[in-house]
Amino acid sequence: MRSWVESAEGSDFPLENLPLGVFRRADGLACVGTAIGDRILDLRAAADAKLLTGEVVGACRESSLNLLMSMGRAAAGALRAWLMDLLSDTGARKRVEPFLVAQADVQMLLPARIRDYTDFYASVYHATNVGRLFRPDNPLLPNYKYVPIGYHGRASSIVVSGTEVRRPCGQTKPADAPEPVFGPSRALDYELEVGFFVGPGNALGTPIPLAEAESHIFGLCLVNDWSARDVQVWEYQPLGPFLAKNFATTISPWVVTLDALRPFRGPAFARPEGDPKPLAYLDAEGDRSRGGFDVTLEVWLRTARMQEPVRVSRGNLRDLYWTLGQMLTHHASNGCNLQPGDLLASGTVSGATEDSLGCLLELTRRGAQPLQLPDGETRRFLEGGDEVILRGYCEREGHARIGFGECRGRLISG
């Protein structure tokens, strides 16, 4: 199948992708849409014109994806099939084309009303690298290979791609100072992550078995969990991250559904010999065989002096020690009620090689080995005017390449 939208082929958003998001129309309305090439199909307008039918019509008239998320993957799959027909049938072109708008002409909004946000720590490479920086003799704590570690983030400070991020203030303690001081962070970092939105969710007190976990995952997006490392190192003991991470989290505007990602699934991370097997509630044959996602993830950096951004790392989502299903199941294992539109994130995605490290803390060895940029600049951590751009895409022979678009944020000092 090929779309009659000329810009679709070769873009991040071919017919095989059709991610969902929310944009603001020229009349001010926030509307659900799907990306196709460099265009957006306005699903509210399509529903009003009776181009869409079935139970999803009401969800397409909403100002967020929450209702569609609550309806489960079958409803989203039915919408996807209907959209594929509309956007590939040349006979439907005259009826559908009036409801296409240029992505460049609209403002993208957060795709869902996010009431809760949890960030995990699922990359063993990242956890080990960071552990070596702070605990050289004991880099990986003993619970790591048994428990998908996470912390409760701040949902109200999640912003959509393109939003400027102000340098936060906080308490820090210089190594040679007897007391902490309060002021702007001087060790601001990005974190390359992937987030996933909860679909139907679960009732309070009712766990989600791992075999059913993916029926509660609506789709994936890119996440930059900005981090003030100097604040973090002073405050994170004994209770973990707090002000170092809750000032801003940037997400990409498009949610790529699990149906679109089906061709790019594979086995979960192969645990090294000698590692403990997951406990029974975190182990299922389907998750072992299909729990991995082959998503290439890139970090690009543009400084105030640069004309074009430069790529500083490239990793892959399949390097996560814990699968998305295991994270979701563990989160709900105590009866915690996940709700439609909740956001869960992977934590920094890093690989085994130097060029696959997902944050400056790792790349620069906590600032000891500055990153060399092509124009002669160096970076230990981010400076005012720096723009971080995350990109993600999937490629496999015999299948169309699909992408996630971009997750951008520029640091402004304040």
Side-chain angles (χ1 to χ4, degrees), residues 186-207:
R186 295 303 170 197
L188 197 64
D189 202 356
Y190 59 82
E191 290 192 339
L192 170 64
E193 304 192 20
V194 168
F196 55 105
F197 283 95
V198 174
N202 58 307
L204 182 65
T206 306

Side-chain angles (χ1 to χ4, degrees), residues 358-411:
C359 63
L360 287 174
L361 180 68
E362 293 175 84
L363 277 170
T364 70
R365 303 297 188 270
R366 203 179 172 187
Q369 299 175 19
L371 176 67
Q372 302 292 322
L373 298 174
D375 66 349
E377 293 181 86
T378 61
R379 286 293 183 275
R380 287 181 168 84
F381 292 99
L382 296 172
E383 297 184 7
D386 287 352
E387 183 179 34
V388 179
I389 306 163
L390 309 184
R391 295 172 179 160
Y393 56 90
C394 303
E395 293 179 309
R396 181 163 292 176
E397 188 175 352
H399 297 277
R401 177 192 185 276
I402 69 170
F404 284 70
E406 293 183 335
C407 177
R408 291 177 174 259
R410 188 172 71 90
L411 174 64

Side-chain angles (χ1 to χ4, degrees), residues 239-261:
L239 291 180
F242 182 35
L243 298 185
K245 287 177 171 286
N246 71 0
F247 59 94
T249 300
T250 304
I251 69 172
S252 56
W254 294 110
V255 183
V256 179
T257 65
L258 291 197
D259 285 339
L261 291 165

Side-chain angles (χ1 to χ4, degrees), residues 74-397:
L79 174 61
R80 171 182 168 80
W82 193 254
L83 292 174
M84 292 184 83
D85 286 343
L86 285 178
L87 293 167
S88 62
D89 180 4
T90 54
R93 181 169 184 167
K94 285 187 178 180
R95 291 183 294 133
V96 177
E97 206 161 28
F99 308 120
L100 291 175
V101 296
Q103 291 192 39
D105 293 342
V106 302
Q107 176 191 6
M108 296 304 299
L109 306 174
L110 289 174
R113 295 186 300 274
I114 303 169
R115 290 181 289 183
D116 265 311
Y117 163 51
T118 300
D119 198 17
F120 283 86
Y121 198 47
S123 166
V124 70
Y125 298 115
H126 173 67
T128 303
N129 291 337
V130 172
R132 286 195 183 108
L133 293 172
F134 295 96
R135 301 180 304 275
D137 298 329
N138 187 29
L140 203 62
L141 296 177
N143 64 348
Y144 185 86
K145 294 183 178 181
Y146 289 94
V147 180
I149 299 296
Y151 74 94
H152 190 227
R154 182 74 183 174
S156 66
S157 55
I158 296 173
V159 297
V160 73
S161 175
T163 306
E164 291 184 328
V165 173
R166 185 172 296 277
R167 184 183 295 276
C169 290
Q171 270 198 38
T172 61
K173 185 181 180 301
D176 56 352
E179 295 181 344
V181 296
F182 182 83
S185 168
R186 295 303 170 197
L188 197 64
D189 202 356
Y190 59 82
E191 290 192 339
L192 170 64
E193 304 192 20
V194 168
F196 55 105
F197 283 95
V198 174
N202 58 307
L204 182 65
T206 306
I208 298 174
L210 182 56
E212 300 174 13
E214 289 195 5
S215 67
H216 295 272
I217 297 176
F218 180 81
L220 281 59
C221 67
L222 303 176
V223 174
N224 181 355
D225 191 39
W226 304 84
S227 299
R229 300 300 189 185
D230 45 357
V231 177
Q232 183 178 356
V233 72
W234 173 238
E235 73 172 8
Y236 85 107
Q237 298 288 2
L239 291 180
F242 182 35
L243 298 185
K245 287 177 171 286
N246 71 0
F247 59 94
T249 300
T250 304
I251 69 172
S252 56
W254 294 110
V255 183
V256 179
T257 65
L258 291 197
D259 285 339
L261 291 165
R262 185 181 293 121
F264 310 102
R265 304 294 301 275
F269 183 84
R271 296 189 170 206
E273 188 175 347
D275 277 15
K277 287 185 62 177
L279 298 184
Y281 78 103
L282 292 174
D283 190 27
E285 193 284 326
D287 192 66
R288 291 194 301 270
S289 63
R290 297 281 292 167
F293 289 81
D294 185 4
V295 182
T296 299
L297 300 168
E298 297 180 344
V299 179
W300 295 70
L301 177 66
R302 174 165 36 212
T303 73
R305 283 171 39 182
M306 286 180 176
Q307 295 296 315
E308 298 295 332
V310 60
R311 191 181 71 214
V312 296
S313 73
R314 176 188 283 165
N316 197 293
L317 190 60
R318 65 185 172 218
D319 284 334
L320 292 185
Y321 193 82
W322 296 101
T323 68
L324 307 190
Q326 287 172 321
M327 289 181 239
L328 184 138
T329 288
H330 180 67
H331 201 319
S333 62
N334 66 345
C336 173
N337 54 322
L338 305 178
Q339 301 178 77
D342 284 358
L343 180 66
L344 280 60
S346 63
T348 303
V349 180
S350 292
T353 59
E354 192 74 19
D355 61 352
S356 64
L357 303 179
C359 63
L360 287 174
L361 180 68
E362 293 175 84
L363 277 170
T364 70
R365 303 297 188 270
R366 203 179 172 187
Q369 299 175 19
L371 176 67
Q372 302 292 322
L373 298 174
D375 66 349
E377 293 181 86
T378 61
R379 286 293 183 275
R380 287 181 168 84
F381 292 99
L382 296 172
E383 297 184 7
D386 287 352
E387 183 179 34
V388 179
I389 306 163
L390 309 184
R391 295 172 179 160
Y393 56 90
C394 303
E395 293 179 309
R396 181 163 292 176
E397 188 175 352

Side-chain angles (χ1 to χ4, degrees), residues 63-83:
S63 59
S64 77
L65 290 172
N66 292 69
L67 179 56
L68 184 60
M69 290 173 172
S70 73
M71 296 168 71
R73 287 183 59 190
L79 174 61
R80 171 182 168 80
W82 193 254
L83 292 174

